[in-house]
Amino acid sequence: MAEAIAFDIAGGLASKLSSLALSQIGLWWNFKDDIEDLKNTISTIKAVLLDAEEQSMTSNLVKNWIEKLKDALYDADDLHDDFSTEALRKDLLSGNKLTEEVRLFFSSSNQFVYGLKMGSQIKAIKARLTSIGSEAKMFNLVERDRLVETSFMSKKRQRTHSFAHKDEIIGREDDKAALLKLILEFQSEENVCIIPIVGFGGLGKTALAQFVYETVKDHFELRIWVCVSNIFDLKTIVENIIKSVANHAPDQNLEMDQLQKQLRDEIRGKKYLLVLDDIWNEEWEQWVSLKKLLMGGAKGSRIIVTTRSLKVAKITSKCQPHVLKGLSDDDAWSLFKEIAFEQISTDSPSSEFVEIGKQILERCGGVPLVIRTIAGTLSFKNSKNDWLSFKDNELARISQNEGEILPTLNLSYDHLPSHLKHCFAYCRLYPKDHKIDVRTLVQFWIAQGFVKQSNPSQSLEEIGLGYFKDLVERSFFQEVEDDETWFTTCKMHDLMHDLAEVVAGTESSLVDSNSSASEVSEKCRHVSISPLLIPLLKGKKLRTLLCFPKESEQSQIMSEDETWDLIISRCRCLRVLKLNNLNLNTIPRSIHKLNHLRYLDLSDNPNLKILPKCICNMQNLHALKLDWCVGLEELPKKIEKLVNISHIGCVHCYGLTHMPRGIGKLTSLEMLSRFVVDKDGSHGGADLSELSGLINLKGELTISNLGFVKNAKKMFRAANLKEKQHLGALVLEWGDGNNDDEKSLEDLQPHPNLKMLKVDGWRGDAKFPSWLSLLKKLVDITIWGPSNFKHLSSIAQLPCLQQLKISNLTELECMEDHGPNGRQGDTESFF
């Protein structure tokens, strides 16, 4: 299954090689024809990759061929990145004064040598891929179009039916009651109401539908059960409905027009219950074509749709879907006990068996399919030692065999587009039960090139969030939390984590012991690791290095010099480097050698004071995270050279004294969590006018030391806050500087889209700014004193306000007794 990722890699690389920018690069260094040949070779191979993916499920030869191809494609992508980076550096240097560095770079001898070197490497990778492509002939691969990428599913799910075994419907009393109420009591405007049941594979959607199907049989004139499964073919579905109603198959020679007439005749005026089990189709037009044929039923007719996708649920019905979750602890134990203790001779299981059984049950996550499979295995083991052996040895592997668990979940994976397969497999790097930060995950995907920007009006982060939503709707993530504007965190079910591990194959590895470190392949591309184990890594092609230090290791972190030497010498292909919370004191100047790096996380290193200037030579950097580096005093000068950066995180970097000049030139910035005004100008820092052009800023922006701004009226307006329409939260910190009427809040007007405003330490005029009443989307206001505000009546005009916090007001003369729309204001005082 890891082979599916090769298609996405090939597609991305072919697209890069087709760019006009790369064509210009080829002209500069005289290897344009080689680039064209390389692109054609990759496009030819890509055309047969979908067929190769299908064959790899049963052929190790094809599987090995794809692995070899994937390794070559990654190397080709690294090579492309090398000369694209060099070309970008050439562009940046050409805009500067002719320093010695620039003269050396543009010298004819330097350019000639570089051109020869790159040309030679392109020819080598082209020959390698040509050779691999020629090997494909022995497999008789055929070209497949992306449109039918997921239509070949060789793994067919067992056909479902309407009969429910009693062990499949244990518990779920609330679910049963809710669905029976929807089916028997819910009043719908339409004669036929559609009820979706949604949940990931193995939760028991089909079993629940079977229970309902049998329970309500006396309330419907017709009951019909159709398993739709992988391919949504309208004619086949209609034939199966007719077969279920008439108890015999329709004439095979009938055309679609005759079939649809027969179907409408069969259900016209009759109150029917139809179960469409296991629907995957997400094409609205196809569903509408079927729905039109089913609307002739009598009042009270119902269609139950079971699916793993919320998107399917939204397409098929206007009703709120019934989302299925894991069994309760009591119900899970009842199901487990009934199956697992069936063969034990005693009337009641001993306390020892019960204790072991409950420990095993914790691994099942309340998923009925998993419980039945594991309990069924245990039912043939009659001794305590057998159960202990299973718990301690086999349990960790039970969900990775070719039994009943992962193949069920694999169907969900098989139906993903290639780019989503790549994104899901990457999640294997997180430890189990880890609370995943969604924004960070999306940034990882961007850094690895998984996110494709087909629409220039959408940012990569917006597109990546769309990818995440797609995976959520397909139940690949659970416990998803949001803050109304963005998904914040999520988790992966253990089974989904196991699936990610399987589909990622040797490409990704989670290293948490000496033995697991030794098993990492030299061709491994993504690693999540305990910092102490970094010296054991052998591979030199890593694209991801995530460090997850355990609490017990905090005092044992290896020396940072050794850490950096190993990383920089061995991991030149890194795109993502996460070294947060490692007690780092310094960052070496040699870090610039990681010129492929897109994402650098140095957060939670409180002893870090400065960053080397050479970080600004890392032109590919998209994200630089420095949150909670409380000792950090400044960002590197010449920061404007980071032309691709979109995220600079410096939340709670209280030690920052100023912002570097030139930061305003980073027009791609979408996240800048803190802007610090230079108190006395002694650092030569940026002034507020550099915020003017940063109109794409999102999330939260804190501006500190506002009390020290000179020529405040001009500078405040120059910050251009009212044009930052994507900004969700604004924190205005005044500090200990001079607060007077000249430094008026009136000149710091934000955009009306703002949702959270905090004013900290303002001691100027007593009048709140007139623009407050314009912030119709504001939900949260915090005024942190001491402040002189007296007239806050305009707050009552804010229709969305939910929370108002006021601290240390010296005097409050005018304040509405009630919040907007007559609600009691949530006003708190802190002293």
Side-chain angles (χ1 to χ4, degrees):
M1 285 169 288
E3 298 79 23
I5 294 172
F7 184 86
D8 191 50
I9 302 170
L13 186 53
S15 178
K16 292 176 185 177
L17 294 173
S18 300
S19 70
L20 290 174
L22 189 60
S23 178
Q24 183 63 45
I25 293 170
L27 285 174
W28 284 343
W29 286 302
N30 197 32
F31 43 69
K32 181 179 179 181
D33 291 343
D34 291 319
I35 291 175
E36 185 68 22
D37 290 344
L38 182 59
K39 181 190 73 174
N40 292 336
T41 300
I42 291 172
S43 297
T44 300
I45 294 174
K46 174 176 171 282
V48 299
L49 271 176
L50 294 177
D51 189 47
E53 180 185 345
E54 179 182 3
Q55 292 197 28
S56 70
M57 295 178 182
T58 55
S59 170
N60 282 331
L61 286 175
V62 178
K63 185 174 182 178
N64 293 336
W65 176 80
I66 293 179
E67 284 296 328
K68 183 164 62 173
L69 168 65
K70 190 169 61 171
D71 189 56
L73 288 172
Y74 272 130
D75 289 346
D77 189 49
D78 287 336
L79 180 60
H80 165 270
D81 208 49
D82 277 331
F83 53 72
S84 292
T85 302
E86 195 70 8
L88 177 58
R89 179 168 169 254
K90 176 179 183 295
D91 267 354
L92 292 174
L93 287 174
S94 63
N96 296 332
K97 295 180 180 179
L98 285 178
T99 63
E100 186 62 32
E101 180 187 11
V102 176
R103 290 193 186 95
L104 178 61
F105 183 87
F106 284 109
S107 69
S108 59
S109 60
N110 182 62
Q111 290 297 288
F112 179 73
V113 171
Y114 182 80
L116 285 178
K117 175 185 173 184
M118 298 305 290
S120 175
Q121 292 185 32
I122 292 174
K123 286 180 171 62
I125 198 70
K126 182 180 69 172
R128 184 175 163 197
L129 283 166
T130 300
S131 175
I132 293 173
S134 65
E135 294 174 12
K137 296 177 182 177
M138 71 177 73
F139 307 126
N140 298 316
L141 301 176
V142 297
E143 295 186 7
R144 290 189 185 272
D145 189 88
R146 174 182 285 273
L147 294 175
V148 294
E149 179 180 346
T150 57
S151 67
F152 56 76
M153 302 303 156
S154 62
K155 297 180 179 177
K156 301 296 184 184
R157 178 185 171 187
Q158 183 179 355
R159 307 297 291 181
T160 62
H161 50 79
S162 60
F163 178 71
H165 295 283
K166 65 175 184 176
D167 64 299
E168 293 179 319
I169 54 174
I170 284 179
R172 295 216 177 277
E173 299 306 323
D174 291 342
D175 293 304
K176 295 173 187 176
L179 284 169
L180 288 174
K181 187 173 183 179
L182 282 172
I183 290 171
L184 300 177
E185 300 178 20
F186 177 71
Q187 298 298 315
S188 171
E189 295 179 359
E190 298 178 299
N191 285 356
V192 182
C193 178
I194 302 165
I195 303 167
I197 303 175
V198 183
F200 63 84
L203 275 179
K205 300 181 297 298
T206 298
L208 190 59
Q210 290 167 337
F211 166 82
V212 172
Y213 189 88
E214 290 297 318
T215 304
V216 301
K217 59 185 177 182
D218 294 333
H219 296 268
F220 294 90
E221 186 176 353
L222 290 177
R223 291 185 306 137
I224 310 157
W225 184 284
V226 175
C227 182
V228 179
S229 201
N230 300 319
I231 301 176
F232 192 95
D233 180 76
L234 184 60
K235 185 177 181 182
T236 301
I237 294 171
V238 170
E239 288 174 342
N240 286 332
I241 293 175
I242 294 172
K243 182 178 179 180
S244 183
V245 173
N247 292 320
H248 63 81
D251 190 329
Q252 294 297 309
N253 296 321
L254 293 179
E255 297 294 332
M256 185 60 206
D257 185 67
Q258 296 168 298
L259 285 170
Q260 62 89 16
K261 184 179 184 302
Q262 184 176 343
L263 170 61
R264 289 188 290 108
D265 289 341
E266 291 284 1
I267 65 174
R268 182 180 295 117
K270 297 176 182 177
K271 183 180 177 182
Y272 72 83
L273 171 65
L274 168 64
V275 176
L276 295 174
D277 189 39
D278 197 28
I279 288 188
W280 295 88
N281 171 62
E282 295 181 348
E283 296 296 328
W284 183 80
E285 292 82 4
Q286 293 184 30
W287 169 252
V288 170
S289 298
L290 174 61
K291 183 179 178 181
K292 286 178 180 177
L293 305 180
L294 300 172
M295 291 297 104
K299 187 75 173 178
S301 293
R302 298 288 187 263
I303 300 174
I304 296 176
V305 169
T306 71
T307 179
R308 302 184 191 188
S309 169
L310 274 173
K311 189 173 183 180
V312 169
K314 292 175 184 177
I315 290 172
T316 56
S317 177
K318 297 178 182 178
C319 295
Q320 188 73 16
H322 185 84
V323 179
L324 211 55
K325 298 180 180 179
L327 293 177
S328 68
D329 291 344
D330 290 342
D331 289 338
W333 177 244
S334 295
L335 177 58
F336 180 91
K337 183 171 61 174
E338 179 173 327
I339 301 171
F341 297 133
E342 184 178 9
Q343 301 296 328
I344 294 179
S345 57
T346 56
D347 292 336
S348 61
S350 68
S351 59
E352 292 177 324
F353 275 100
V354 169
E355 182 180 355
I356 300 169
K358 288 189 174 181
Q359 291 174 4
I360 291 172
L361 185 61
E362 290 179 1
R363 178 69 176 79
C364 299
V367 181
L369 175 60
V370 183
I371 296 171
R372 285 197 301 272
T373 304
I374 291 179
T377 301
L378 291 170
S379 69
F380 294 97
K381 300 178 183 296
N382 297 322
S383 73
K384 172 187 170 184
N385 287 338
D386 286 340
W387 279 45
L388 282 172
S389 176
F390 178 85
K391 178 178 77 74
D392 295 334
N393 300 309
E394 299 175 58
L395 185 59
R397 301 188 300 270
I398 189 67
S399 59
Q400 297 179 19
N401 65 14
E402 287 299 310
E404 297 182 36
I405 303 172
L406 283 188
T408 301
L409 301 180
N410 286 347
L411 276 174
S412 296
Y413 176 80
D414 289 340
H415 280 76
L416 290 177
S418 289
H419 65 279
L420 292 186
K421 288 178 179 177
H422 219 162
C423 292
F424 171 69
Y426 193 82
C427 296
R428 183 269 182 276
L429 293 174
Y430 288 101
K432 284 190 175 180
D433 202 39
H434 184 81
K435 183 173 281 191
I436 301 171
D437 183 88
V438 175
R439 189 180 296 276
T440 298
L441 176 60
V442 169
Q443 288 171 345
F444 286 168
W445 290 344
I446 293 171
Q448 296 298 336
F450 300 163
V451 179
K452 309 298 191 299
Q453 191 173 29
S454 55
N455 183 0
S457 65
Q458 274 190 301
S459 69
L460 286 170
E461 198 167 64
E462 289 171 332
I463 298 169
L465 179 60
Y467 289 9
F468 177 78
K469 287 180 180 177
D470 287 342
L471 288 169
V472 170
E473 288 184 339
R474 291 168 170 84
S475 302
F476 280 86
F477 295 109
Q478 285 76 49
E479 299 183 41
V480 180
E481 299 177 3
D482 65 75
D483 61 0
E484 297 184 356
T485 59
W486 185 275
F487 291 111
T488 54
T489 62
C490 68
K491 284 188 175 183
M492 291 178 69
H493 189 281
D494 279 0
L495 278 176
M496 283 298 180
H497 191 281
D498 292 339
L499 177 62
E501 182 177 351
V502 171
V503 300
T506 59
E507 182 172 306
S508 298
S509 184
L510 199 159
V511 181
D512 55 8
S513 67
N514 288 4
S515 58
S516 60
S518 63
E519 293 171 0
V520 175
S521 165
E522 291 191 6
K523 294 182 180 180
C524 182
R525 305 285 173 167
H526 311 290
V527 164
S528 175
I529 191 170
S530 166
L532 293 175
L533 300 174
I534 289 178
L536 301 179
L537 288 179
K538 299 175 182 177
K540 294 185 178 181
K541 296 184 177 182
L542 285 181
R543 290 180 163 223
T544 300
L545 182 61
L546 307 182
C547 288
F548 286 99
K550 301 175 183 177
E551 289 186 14
S552 59
E553 296 175 342
Q554 288 300 315
S555 61
Q556 309 172 44
I557 299 299
M558 58 189 285
S559 76
E560 57 188 85
D561 289 341
E562 186 180 0
T563 302
W564 282 113
D565 288 344
L566 289 167
I567 291 172
I568 293 170
S569 63
R570 297 182 184 178
C571 308
R572 293 294 181 86
C573 298
L574 280 177
R575 266 69 170 172
V576 170
L577 179 58
K578 177 180 175 291
L579 295 175
N580 60 308
N581 200 21
L582 296 186
N583 296 323
L584 297 176
N585 294 297
T586 59
I587 308 299
R589 288 183 294 176
S590 55
I591 191 175
H592 76 277
K593 294 180 180 179
L594 303 177
N595 57 18
H596 296 280
L597 204 62
R598 266 73 172 173
Y599 181 98
L600 176 60
D601 187 354
L602 300 170
S603 303
D604 296 289
N605 286 299
N607 297 324
L608 194 61
K609 292 186 177 181
I610 59 172
L611 300 175
K613 296 177 182 178
C614 64
I615 279 186
C616 296
N617 293 330
M618 303 170 73
Q619 287 93 6
N620 285 315
L621 207 60
H622 287 174
L624 177 61
K625 296 196 67 174
L626 302 162
D627 304 317
W628 286 101
C629 289
V630 294
L632 189 67
E633 297 175 354
E634 60 181 36
L635 297 177
K637 296 178 180 178
K638 298 186 179 180
I639 200 169
E640 69 270 16
K641 293 168 66 178
L642 297 177
V643 292
N644 285 310
I645 202 159
S646 62
H647 185 115
I648 299 178
C650 40
V651 175
H652 301 300
C653 288
Y654 301 119
L656 284 176
T657 57
H658 65 287
M659 305 307 285
R661 288 186 179 178
I663 197 169
K665 297 179 181 178
L666 302 179
T667 54
S668 295
L669 266 182
E670 296 180 14
M671 297 292 294
L672 178 64
S673 46
R674 179 174 289 269
F675 188 97
V676 183
V677 173
D678 193 347
K679 288 184 177 181
D680 56 11
S682 62
H683 300 94
D687 60 40
L688 284 176
S689 67
E690 297 226 29
L691 281 172
S692 177
L694 305 183
I695 59 173
N696 296 314
L697 291 181
K698 301 176 182 178
E700 179 175 316
L701 170 65
T702 295
I703 307 177
S704 58
N705 292 341
L706 284 167
F708 295 91
V709 175
K710 297 178 180 179
N711 195 7
K713 191 175 189 67
K714 177 182 177 182
M715 285 293 103
F716 284 4
R717 291 184 176 180
N720 197 25
L721 296 180
K722 65 180 180 181
E723 295 297 325
K724 296 174 179 29
Q725 59 177 317
H726 306 296
L727 209 59
L730 179 63
V731 180
L732 302 174
E733 297 179 344
W734 296 86
D736 299 325
N738 180 28
N739 288 272
D740 52 39
D741 291 347
E742 193 266 338
K743 295 184 175 67
S744 173
L745 280 170
E746 194 68 40
D747 300 313
L748 286 168
Q749 179 179 348
H751 192 277
N753 286 344
L754 198 72
K755 293 187 176 181
M756 191 278 281
L757 174 66
K758 179 179 178 180
V759 179
D760 187 350
W762 168 245
R763 295 189 296 274
D765 60 35
K767 184 179 179 182
F768 215 83
S770 62
W771 46 256
L772 180 65
S773 61
L774 303 177
L775 305 184
K776 301 299 184 182
K777 297 182 180 180
L778 206 62
V779 297
D780 189 330
I781 298 177
T782 300
I783 303 172
W784 198 263
S787 299
N788 295 323
F789 294 123
K790 297 180 182 179
H791 303 280
L792 299 177
S793 57
S794 57
I795 289 178
Q797 303 173 31
L798 302 177
C800 296
L801 190 65
Q802 297 177 9
Q803 183 165 263
L804 171 63
K805 293 182 180 179
I806 304 175
S807 161
N808 292 347
L809 284 186
T810 56
E811 186 176 3
L812 184 61
E813 292 183 354
C814 181
M815 177 67 194
E816 296 291 330
D817 292 333
H818 296 279
N821 302 322
R823 293 172 289 140
Q824 182 68 38
D826 181 11
T827 308
E828 304 178 19
S829 294
F830 302 90
F831 297 97

